[in-house]
Amino acid sequence: MKPELDVPVYVISVAAKLTGLPAWMLRLLDQEGIVVPTRTEKNRRLYSDNDVARLRRIRHLTEERGVNMAGVKVILELDSLQS
């Protein structure tokens, strides 16, 4: 059984509202492999609480810290090595 934070529950529009990011940005992050949500049988994206937390971190890095997407990838890779 998956931990509660990993359960995919939010469709893209809800995840966008929760994070303050536009849906097109979430699609781009999916295409880039930065935040890859679970897909339903009908190919809809479903985001977990952990995905939403990661998206909020990305928003903080890009909007408040001025980090570009290449930098975001490096920072997130370093974060995953430390955990």
Side-chain angles (χ1 to χ4, degrees):
M1 181 178 214
K2 287 186 175 186
E4 239 178 79
L5 296 176
D6 286 332
V7 176
V9 292
Y10 306 111
V11 293
I12 193 168
S13 60
V14 174
K17 276 188 181 173
L18 290 172
T19 61
L21 292 169
W24 66 264
M25 175 69 92
L26 275 61
R27 289 185 197 96
L28 177 68
L29 293 168
D30 183 9
Q31 289 172 357
E32 294 289 323
I34 299 171
V35 178
V36 180
T38 302
R39 297 287 186 133
T40 66
E41 288 180 17
K42 294 189 178 192
N43 210 27
R44 291 187 176 179
R45 294 171 177 90
L46 286 180
Y47 293 85
S48 68
D49 285 324
N50 283 337
D51 293 332
V52 169
R54 190 173 173 110
L55 290 166
R56 287 181 175 146
R57 174 110 164 102
I58 291 167
R59 180 174 178 227
H60 169 77
L61 291 170
T62 56
E63 292 182 7
E64 296 177 27
R65 298 300 218 174
V67 179
N68 64 20
M69 222 26 84
V72 167
K73 282 183 177 182
V74 170
I75 290 168
L76 293 176
E77 286 174 13
L78 290 173
D79 284 351
S80 68
L81 290 175
Q82 291 178 349
S83 21

